Structure formats: C-alpha cells, structure tokens
Amino acid sequence: MQIKSEVLQNQKLNYKFHLIKLKAKKEGFNFKPGQFVTLKVTNSIFRCYSIFSSPDTLPIWEVFVDITPGGPGTTYLKKLKRGDIIETSFPTGIFVHQKDGSKNIILAGTGCGIAPLLPILEKASEDKKNKNIILLWGLRFKKDIVLKDSLKKLAMKYTKFHYNIILSQPEEKWSGNTGHVQKYIIGSLQGVSPKETSLYLTGSGDFIKETLKDLQKRKISPAHIYLEKYY
C-alpha cells in the first residue's frame, strides 16, 4: 500500500449506506472520475472501492459503501472513526468518462454502484457536446434511498442532467418508479440515436449481464458501453 489517508468523518446515512470522508496524507494522490482504490483491510485481505467524490475536492476524497454484506471490508469500513488512518493503493481503473463523441449519456447502477457514476456525470456535464445525461439508480426498498439532496443539487447545477430512482421491492406508499433498472434503460433510449449514445453500467454481475442482453436488441455499439462489475 502506498497511500495513507486520515478519516475525517464516517457518516451513517441509513442502516445500509455509509459515506466516509478522508484526507490523503501524501502528495500525488490523484484520480480520474470513476476510478477506485484498493484498501488494505489486513495484511492478507484487500478490497476495492470506487471513489465517490470529484478530483476537485482533493486532498479530501470520499467512499460510499454498502455495509450490509458484513464481510471483512465492509466491517472494517463500518468501524472507522475520526482520526483513524487507512492504507490504500493509488487510484486506478478504466471505468472513467470517455470522450467518444456521444451526445447522450446514460449512467445506470444498483446499490453502491452509484459511487463512480456521480463523479463521471459531473465530468460529462462539463462537456458542452453532451445534450442529455440521465442517471438511473436501482434500489430495493424506500428505506434504502439516500443522497436525495445531493442529486437535487446536481440536477439544479446541470440543466441537462436528470435522474430516476427505481425500487424493485417498494412499499405500498411508494409512488415512484418500480421494477428493474434495465427496463428504464431501454425506455431512456427511445427517441435517441444509438450511434450518439453511451452507457455506463455498474452493479452486480447479473444486472450487467441482463442489461447487455437488452442493449444488443437496441443495436448499441459495444464500443460505447462501459462496465464496472461489483460482484
């Protein structure tokens, strides 16, 4: 491990998600929106986590994590407190914003898969060639929803950005969108040119596999589909 960072805050957003704010203690820690770090949990256990924040905030950076799996990595992160020091690799990864000539950007993820998507959408929003940027975030329950204020601020800041939260197992009082994210990805492609559209997908292997099947029917170029599989 080459980078040490100090924990500034470990914020419990709900029963499921934590937002951890850190400060890199070494110069040269830089990254492209969408990249990840490898975290040292023990001398023999390492886990990868996407960076949730923008490079503009450095040396402050953040990770957004689902702590419910209860494995070594999530348990370690859940217990972190202010002043603790963590060790990570330098950021790496190829799941980043691509200037591929697309005018329409669709970012879709499930659970903590939203982590690399928000930095990417901020970067994509700076590109004047992009006309439409849509974020589709799939969760299970209404109680899983967090980051509402952050998403609203981004929608106000970037007029071409829109977002949609989809619940797969909603309670009766939920009046928003329901079902699986794949359906809404296909819906978002209606009326746009496949040749001018890029998709960024994050989440489980099953989610990505099923989505790719649907996209093949829409003749989206594989060269314009970017993937980050979480498990």
Side-chain angles (χ1 to χ4, degrees):
M1 297 291 99
Q2 298 166 302
I3 295 290
K4 291 185 178 181
S5 294
E6 179 182 357
V7 177
L8 301 181
Q9 184 181 29
N10 188 349
Q11 183 181 5
K12 180 180 179 180
L13 301 179
N14 60 11
Y15 80 101
K16 185 178 182 70
F17 296 118
H18 278 222
L19 179 61
I20 303 171
K21 182 177 289 188
L22 303 137
K23 183 176 182 179
K25 299 180 72 66
K26 183 176 182 179
E27 294 183 3
F29 181 89
N30 208 341
F31 61 92
K32 296 178 181 179
Q35 290 190 312
F36 66 90
V37 295
T38 300
L39 169 72
K40 179 181 179 181
V41 180
T42 69
N43 287 333
S44 60
I45 298 176
F46 303 87
R47 294 291 186 269
C48 297
Y49 294 97
S50 295
I51 300 174
F52 181 67
S53 49
S54 164
D56 295 340
T57 67
L58 286 171
I60 308 300
W61 61 286
E62 296 174 327
V63 292
F64 176 77
V65 61
D66 178 355
I67 53 88
T68 56
T74 53
T75 300
Y76 175 83
L77 290 173
K78 180 181 178 180
K79 293 180 178 180
L80 288 176
K81 60 186 183 298
R82 182 180 177 87
D84 285 346
I85 303 296
I86 68 167
E87 293 184 54
T88 70
S89 64
F90 278 96
T92 188
I94 60 173
F95 185 74
V96 297
H97 175 242
Q98 304 289 336
K99 292 187 176 181
D100 55 17
S102 295
K103 295 180 180 179
N104 306 293
I105 308 293
I106 298 174
L107 308 111
T110 57
C112 61
I114 194 175
L117 296 181
L118 290 193
I120 289 175
L121 84 83
E122 289 195 68
K123 187 66 177 179
S125 296
E126 296 172 358
D127 190 340
K128 295 181 180 179
K129 294 181 180 179
N130 294 331
K131 291 184 178 180
N132 302 295
I133 302 174
I134 299 173
L135 171 68
L136 303 172
W137 188 21
L139 297 166
R140 287 185 180 178
F141 312 114
K142 186 177 179 180
K143 64 181 181 179
D144 293 345
I145 299 174
V146 292
L147 305 176
K148 289 190 291 185
D149 289 343
S150 297
L151 291 171
K152 287 179 181 178
K153 288 179 181 178
L154 287 170
M156 292 178 64
K157 182 178 180 180
Y158 303 114
T159 56
K160 52 191 172 184
F161 165 61
H162 305 278
Y163 67 92
N164 191 346
I165 296 175
I166 302 108
L167 301 185
S168 61
Q169 299 178 40
E171 293 86 345
E172 293 182 3
K173 294 183 180 180
W174 173 250
S175 59
N177 293 296
T178 62
H180 295 289
V181 179
Q182 297 94 303
K183 177 176 69 175
Y184 293 89
I185 295 174
I186 300 302
S188 298
L189 291 169
Q190 300 297 324
V192 301
S193 169
K195 294 181 179 180
E196 296 181 334
T197 303
S198 291
L199 294 102
Y200 295 78
L201 308 175
T202 62
S204 69
D206 288 341
F207 162 69
I208 290 177
K209 182 179 179 180
E210 292 302 316
T211 301
L212 290 177
K213 286 182 181 179
D214 291 338
L215 292 176
Q216 286 178 353
K217 300 174 185 178
R218 287 286 298 164
K219 297 181 180 179
I220 301 295
S221 170
H224 284 195
I225 301 175
Y226 310 105
L227 310 172
E228 186 82 302
K229 185 169 68 173
Y230 272 56
Y231 53 89

